[in-house]
Every structure is written in structure tokens, then in C-alpha cells.
Amino acid sequence: MSVVGIVAEYNPFHNGHLYHLEQARAITGANRVIAVLSGNFVQRGEPAIVGKNARTRMALEAGVDVVLELPYLYALSSAGYFARGAVSLLDRLGVVDSIAFGAEAGICDLEGVAGVLRSEPREFRDALRANLSVGMSYPLARSRALGVLGYASEMLCGPNNILGIEYINAVRRLGSRMSVAAVERTVAHIGGREGRFASASEIRKSLWGGRADEALRYMPGFAAEVLAQAGVYHRFNNFSDIFHYIIRTTDAEDLRRIAEVTEGLEHRIAKFSRQTTCLDDIISHVKTKRYTLSKIKRCFMNIILNTGADEFARAQDRGPAYARVLGFRRASRELLARIEANSTIPLITNVKHASRFEPYARRMLEAELEATDIYALSADKHVGQAHGGREAEYRTPIITD
């Protein structure tokens, strides 16, 4: 049995994801696939358009053998922390032979840039420092600094290249035996439409805009069916009321204790939140050229979820404390058994049994349950806590194909 690991959001699952799965198997020769899936919150700092159970069903229908949850403390973080959390989770299972990810560039170029970012030669560090000193955002400053070593700055402009490089570096820094493989993405995968492919962001825009027929053209039939069954979409701006309540009842000192609220951002957030009620509008005012849109959105989500900076730092330092199974294919029970026998972290198949785990694992799971409760509030229609919140974590069985 050969196993390839995939890190995914499937927000929602589309034809490009199906292509990636097919190519991941072909390139690595794997006959089993484990997907580490972002839970109810995604890396760009937003709630997923539909819940993790619906997206798990999409993954299983597509042929993924086992779906594990990436805790939100990693899913809702910058590319480096996101990749490190996901790769660490896959590595700790003890059964994954390779990791396959989508990228705009080839694996050789990605390996080269990854090596530069790991070693940080003097010329690179000097250029990076100079770029930051004139107010560039860190991602842009880093991208421009690559030019002094002869690499195209565009290597760090593609979002999938950035993640791919971070996956490579996470594997290398962990000293993992897992190999890495890149699946080339098309322009449509990246942020547009082309033939039968469209990016997830384009599909979400169509769905939120009431143009479901337009969106479903770019999704496999099974994924479209699951999406329809979900019955409700989630969106960032639905958190406006709860965000304003928090800001108006929290002082600046407490805001500074929240993850990613740094360098005086708490003052800009407090100031502009009183000038408009729409979260997107507040973000447009808070954002500066130094901070990316995703950085600000993650900052806002951490405020809403009350993610303490200390808790966030501890999670990044120690890595995932458990592997929670969201779903699996019945034909892949043998793979689950192998994970249970080889994993260095506990395998959670029922949250009711988590009380037997050590305190760090229990706290990480508790944070996930709390985040799920808040996620229910981002639905376009009220779904009720018993259906979309914390109680659902206890009542919903593992998804099977």
C-alpha cells in the first residue's frame, strides 16, 4: 500500500480538485489518498462556504480514502503555519509516503526557492530588510528579495507556489521521510475560468451572487448534489454583529492578547469599526500596504473566535495533538487500522472519547468545538446550534461513502 497525502480546503470541491487527485495518484504511484481538510474556517481568513461534513462527503465521493480535520489553529493562519500544521499531522500518522500539492511552477524551481528561504543567504536577508524598511508587506518584500539571487519574483506571487514552497520546507525541517510532488495548475485554477475549470473563489462568487447554475458547471455532479443538500451558505460578513459587539466591549489591552493583533492594529480596528457596520468595509480601511487582505481577515476571525496569542503560539510550537477522522471509505478500513497502529498522536473517531487524552489534546479539541459553535452564526439562514454548532460535533457520525 502506497499512501499520498493531500492538504485541501475544497471550498467547494470543483473540477480542478478532481484533476489534482487524479494527477497526485499518477505522479506518486499511490493507491491510497489521505486528505487533511481545513475544518470550518479557511486559510484566507473566512468561514468555509459550507461546513466540513459536506466537504468531507465531496472528498469521499471523489475517491479520497480518509479525510482528517486540520484544526482551525492551523487552518486559519499564514501559509507557513498552515503548511507546518498540515505536514506535521500527515507525518505523525506514520503511514504517508508522499505529499502532492498544486502549484503554478515545477517541483525543481519550487525546491530551489524553498532552499533559499530555509538558508536565507546574506544577500537575500539584506534585500528583504531593505524592502521591509520602505513599507512593503512581508510577502511582497520576500518575493522581491528573491530577485537578487536570480529567481523570478513571480515565484512567490502565485498562492499555490507559496503554499507548495512552505510544504517542502515543512517536510525538510521535520526531517520527514515523505517525498513531495507538484501538480501544475492552469490559469483557471488560479483565479479565473477556462474550459471546464474555474477557481474556487470564482465559484463562491457565483454561488453568493445567486448564480448557482453558472457555478455548478465547474463542479463534478456529485459535488453539486452535496452542495445542494447543504442548503445554506456561510459568509464572512454575517459575523458583522458579533464582531461589533466584541469590539465595543473589549479594551485595547485585551485585543492585543489576540493572535495576529500586532503593531497597533487594535487601535485601527477600534477606530474604523465605529465608522461602518460592514466587515468588508472596515477591513478596507484597516488594511495598509504592509498587511495583506488575508492577514487582516485572519486577525478579525481570531478576534471573533477569541484565539489568544499564547494559545496560538503553543499550537504552532507543539503541532497537532490528535488526528480527527471526519470521514473514510468503507473499502479503506485497512488504512485506518494502519494509521491507528503507527500514529504518534491519538486518532479521534468520536469526540465523546476525547476526555481520555492528555490536557493539550483536550484543549485543542475544545477550541475546535468552540469555533464550530461560532461558525454556525455565519450562515445565511439561522441553522440552529443543534444542526450547525457544537452539539453537531457529538451527534454527527463519521462520514462514510
Side-chain angles (χ1 to χ4, degrees):
M1 182 186 299
S2 178
V3 181
V4 61
I6 288 173
V7 185
E9 292 182 332
Y10 295 156
N11 187 34
F13 191 97
H14 55 66
N15 290 334
H17 293 134
L18 189 60
Y19 171 81
H20 174 258
L21 276 171
E22 294 167 350
Q23 291 300 304
R25 287 194 185 92
I27 292 171
T28 64
N31 53 16
R32 291 289 185 271
V33 179
I34 296 175
V36 172
L37 183 73
S38 294
N40 287 324
F41 296 92
V42 297
Q43 203 257 333
R44 65 195 300 125
E46 299 174 352
I49 192 168
V50 291
K52 59 190 176 187
N53 290 330
R55 290 178 290 119
T56 294
R57 289 190 182 95
M58 295 177 188
L60 296 178
E61 289 282 351
V64 172
D65 294 280
V66 174
V67 180
L68 303 175
E69 181 176 35
L70 180 65
Y72 95 87
L73 289 165
Y74 307 100
L76 193 64
S77 57
S78 64
Y81 291 138
F82 177 94
R84 192 183 312 169
V87 170
S88 178
L89 179 52
L90 286 168
D91 187 61
R92 292 176 183 190
L93 299 179
V95 301
V96 179
D97 301 294
S98 58
I99 294 178
F101 51 82
E104 294 85 15
I107 191 65
C108 292
D109 288 335
L110 295 171
E111 288 272 19
V113 173
V116 169
L117 298 184
R118 284 199 308 278
S119 62
E120 291 192 333
R122 187 182 65 186
E123 302 95 318
F124 175 80
R125 291 198 310 272
D126 290 345
L128 177 62
R129 191 179 303 112
N131 292 339
L132 290 172
S133 70
V134 297
M136 288 186 192
S137 68
Y138 182 79
L140 178 59
R142 190 173 67 161
S143 176
R144 296 279 179 84
L146 279 177
V148 302
L149 297 176
Y151 288 97
S153 61
E154 290 77 12
M155 282 291 296
L156 287 178
C157 291
N160 298 289
N161 276 354
I162 293 171
L163 275 173
I165 289 165
E166 295 294 354
Y167 293 140
I168 292 169
N169 278 341
V171 168
R172 301 293 180 255
R173 285 168 177 150
L174 284 170
S176 174
R177 68 177 183 84
M178 297 185 296
S179 61
V180 293
V183 177
E184 186 176 352
R185 295 171 65 94
T186 70
V187 172
H189 293 153
I190 298 165
R193 303 169 191 261
E194 182 181 285
R196 66 187 185 93
F197 296 114
S199 67
S201 61
E202 287 292 305
I203 292 171
R204 289 194 300 275
K205 288 177 186 176
S206 296
L207 292 171
W208 283 323
R211 304 185 305 278
D213 289 346
E214 178 182 294
L216 299 184
R217 291 204 303 268
Y218 303 102
M219 298 175 63
F222 61 81
E225 289 178 14
V226 173
L227 191 70
Q229 291 166 8
V232 62
Y233 301 145
H234 295 250
R235 69 181 81 209
F236 183 72
N237 270 324
N238 288 344
F239 283 128
S240 290
D241 288 346
I242 188 172
F243 179 80
H244 281 282
Y245 173 79
I246 293 169
I247 294 300
R248 282 160 172 73
T249 58
T250 306
D251 61 29
E253 184 177 348
D254 286 335
L255 281 179
R256 283 195 294 272
R257 297 192 182 104
I258 299 297
E260 297 214 46
V261 180
T262 57
E263 299 180 358
L265 274 176
E266 68 275 9
H267 300 299
R268 293 182 63 82
I269 292 168
K271 174 184 176 181
F272 291 113
S273 66
R274 295 185 179 276
Q275 298 182 11
T276 178
T277 58
C278 175
L279 281 184
D280 282 340
D281 288 343
I282 299 171
I283 288 170
S284 69
H285 290 299
V286 172
K287 184 184 180 301
T288 68
K289 63 181 180 179
R290 186 171 181 83
Y291 300 111
T292 64
L293 179 61
S294 292
K295 153 75 176 180
I296 300 298
K297 280 195 168 185
R298 288 193 299 268
C299 175
F300 277 41
M301 280 308 318
N302 283 327
I303 291 172
I304 292 167
L305 296 173
N306 194 31
T307 306
D310 290 345
E311 180 175 33
F312 181 82
R314 182 167 56 252
Q316 310 315 323
D317 181 58
R318 296 186 60 175
Y322 58 78
R324 184 181 177 192
V325 181
L326 295 178
F328 67 96
R329 293 173 65 84
R330 291 186 182 93
S332 304
R333 290 180 184 275
E334 180 187 355
L335 177 55
L336 266 184
R338 280 190 62 195
I339 294 172
E340 194 155 23
N342 291 277
S343 178
T344 59
I345 51 177
L347 191 68
I348 296 180
T349 55
N350 189 327
V351 295
K352 295 177 182 177
H353 301 156
S355 60
R356 70 185 65 166
F357 300 141
E358 51 91 16
Y360 172 62
R362 291 202 305 271
R363 175 53 204 153
M364 182 170 284
L365 181 60
E366 178 62 25
E368 199 66 41
L369 299 180
E370 292 169 359
T372 295
D373 243 0
I374 300 300
Y375 176 74
L377 303 177
S378 68
D380 281 346
K381 297 181 289 186
H382 179 66
V383 295
Q385 296 301 294
H387 294 91
R390 184 190 190 98
E391 290 303 311
E393 298 283 71
Y394 291 93
R395 297 179 182 181
T396 304
I398 291 177
I399 310 298
T400 57
D401 67 336

